[in-house]
Amino acid sequence: TWKEDVEHIDSSFLISHIDFIFQRIKRCPWLETLTFNQLCEYVFPYRVGYEPPQLFFELQDSLYQAEIEELLNYDDIKTDPVRIFNVKSPFRMTSLTVPLLYKGRYIDYEIANCASLAIAKKWRGRLLLCPVTFDIVPAYADRSGHHRWAVMINNNQVNGYTQLTSAISGKGKVYRHTFSHQAYPCDTLEYVPPFFRSPFYMDVTSDYNQVRDVIINVPDSIDNRYVYLCVFNNLHWAPVALSKNNDGNCCFKNVGCGVVYIPAIYNGRRMQTFSFPFLLDLQGKFSYFQPDVTAQTTLRLERKYPLKYSTRISNQRFLSAKLECSNTSDFRSYICAGSFDSISY
């Protein structure tokens, strides 16, 4: 059951928390240049997600006091964010846990994926009074899945996914998790996908990608209040942007270039597209993909997904590897089905 903070957090908690932050701001040179709104968004919040509110100064004294003293030697913590947020990647053979306070005692919080790693980075950053949050790609436009990662407010990466910022054509929409309340569709009986029902995401696509506003004309036969732009997320179209239908015109702000989209609506919980997909290229031009069944051609696909830097590194490990097959689990007898003598890029 959801509980509103305004109904359950007393004034003494907020006063203690705010007083502590103001005292620490005077000792943190990297906070001096932040605006008051930035402090409210990235430093003052008393939680990083939906965990019970904590008095951070109690956790600082018990967990990170020595590291806070070390940080005071920095004029600008943005110069070395990876070192400051030195949490190992979860994609290693060993598991990774971090201590978090839960219901009055410390528990080992296991990091298993990008979401939990981003939360751990954000938690650590908040304890150190660093202006940290996390950004999210709700659906990749050139592969399956989604991703979120921790960032400084100037978008310095702090969880090691540096290749994400360089892959300009790989992102359709990017959103930032906020503490402040954002506009969201709350005044309709029409079905809206869960991601767009959250009031805590702000569009930051323009921080990562070339963008353009996209106008979509909606057929007169469609009276839905909301229209979506979708990207092809491996096996299905996934919505990444929402716009109101204003008498047949929808304006999508800051749409990432270099991506194929298709407009869609929801009939109940079922998505329905109403146009051909189109490419918004890196110059901001539209190219619709309309099939021509009278002029067919033959294609040879050598790769399903675009080549990523991380893929190149992983593929190097397969050089000289052999694929062996056996009818028994102990492999007393086996055959070599093939070997990786070279890696094709």
Side-chain angles (χ1 to χ4, degrees):
T1 302
W2 292 100
K3 298 180 179 179
E4 296 290 339
D5 284 359
V6 69
E7 299 175 0
H8 295 274
I9 296 180
D10 58 34
S11 58
S12 61
F13 172 89
L14 291 177
I15 292 172
S16 297
H17 178 76
I18 293 172
D19 286 347
F20 162 73
I21 298 295
F22 272 118
Q23 293 171 6
R24 289 287 179 165
I25 287 176
K26 300 176 182 178
R27 301 179 55 198
C28 301
W30 58 86
L31 297 179
E32 294 177 355
T33 59
L34 296 186
T35 66
F36 181 72
N37 287 338
Q38 289 173 326
L39 288 171
C40 290
E41 184 63 62
Y42 303 111
V43 179
F44 275 100
Y46 45 79
R47 60 156 61 100
V48 301
Y50 300 102
E51 78 281 1
Q54 307 289 340
L55 287 172
F56 282 162
F57 62 87
E58 296 178 352
L59 301 182
Q60 280 190 345
D61 292 340
S62 59
L63 290 178
Y64 297 113
Q65 185 59 41
E67 297 181 46
I68 293 171
E69 295 300 327
E70 181 183 355
L71 284 177
L72 296 180
N73 298 323
Y74 281 75
D75 292 330
D76 185 356
I77 59 170
K78 300 168 189 173
T79 58
D80 194 8
V82 176
R83 176 173 174 268
I84 295 170
F85 298 89
N86 185 24
V87 178
K88 296 180 180 179
S89 168
F91 305 109
R92 298 178 184 269
M93 294 303 292
T94 57
S95 61
L96 173 64
T97 59
V98 294
L100 293 184
L101 189 64
Y102 178 71
K103 293 185 177 180
R105 65 185 182 89
Y106 289 105
I107 63 171
D108 290 330
Y109 178 70
E110 185 172 356
I111 294 177
N113 54 34
C114 65
S116 54
L117 177 60
I119 291 173
K121 296 280 189 176
K122 185 177 178 182
W123 177 270
R124 181 179 173 86
R126 190 62 53 77
L127 285 173
L128 298 178
L129 288 190
C130 299
V132 176
T133 185
F134 61 78
D135 291 352
I136 179 173
V137 174
Y140 277 122
D142 58 356
R143 53 170 287 189
S144 61
H146 60 274
H147 184 47
R148 68 182 66 198
W149 61 99
V151 294
M152 305 291 281
I153 61 169
N154 67 341
N155 291 310
N156 279 338
Q157 303 278 330
V158 297
N159 70 352
Y161 289 91
T162 54
Q163 71 273 18
L164 195 62
T165 54
S166 62
I168 294 178
S169 64
K171 295 172 289 292
K173 295 293 288 184
V174 185
Y175 296 90
R176 175 158 299 165
H177 186 267
T178 66
F179 187 79
S180 58
H181 201 280
Q182 309 296 315
Y184 74 110
C186 59
D187 55 349
T188 177
L189 298 177
E190 183 177 303
Y191 172 76
V192 175
F195 178 82
F196 300 100
R197 295 200 300 266
S198 171
F200 302 111
Y201 286 111
M202 174 176 65
D203 190 338
V204 291
T205 311
S206 60
D207 290 347
Y208 289 88
N209 203 355
Q210 296 172 248
V211 297
R212 177 182 169 177
D213 293 349
V214 172
I215 304 296
I216 297 294
N217 295 319
V218 183
D220 294 337
S221 58
I222 293 178
D223 59 0
N224 291 61
R225 186 166 190 179
Y226 296 104
V227 176
Y228 303 85
L229 277 187
C230 307
V231 297
F232 191 67
N233 193 239
N234 189 19
L235 296 178
H236 66 282
W237 291 101
V240 295
L242 172 149
S243 175
K244 281 189 176 181
N245 181 3
N246 295 314
D247 296 325
N249 291 312
C250 292
C251 180
F252 293 90
K253 298 288 187 179
N254 296 326
V255 178
C257 296
V259 176
V260 174
Y261 300 93
I262 195 169
I265 58 171
Y266 276 87
N267 285 328
R269 292 176 177 266
R270 182 175 177 273
M271 178 189 291
Q272 177 183 331
T273 62
F274 59 84
S275 172
F276 292 112
F278 63 89
L279 169 66
L280 179 63
D281 66 21
L282 294 178
Q283 286 71 46
K285 298 179 180 179
F286 288 78
S287 299
Y288 279 89
F289 295 100
Q290 184 170 352
D292 182 358
V293 297
T294 64
Q296 298 180 357
T297 188
T298 299
L299 295 177
R300 177 185 176 91
L301 300 181
E302 307 240 342
R303 178 176 295 280
K304 181 178 181 181
Y305 293 130
L307 181 62
K308 304 280 187 180
Y309 174 77
S310 57
T311 306
R312 292 175 62 105
I313 298 301
S314 299
N315 286 350
Q316 291 293 331
R317 302 173 183 173
F318 285 94
L319 280 174
S320 303
K322 296 181 179 180
L323 178 61
E324 298 176 345
C325 304
S326 175
N327 290 325
T328 60
S329 60
D330 58 10
F331 271 72
R332 290 182 179 179
S333 61
Y334 60 87
I335 61 172
C336 179
S339 61
F340 298 90
D341 301 319
S342 63
I343 302 296
S344 174
Y345 295 117

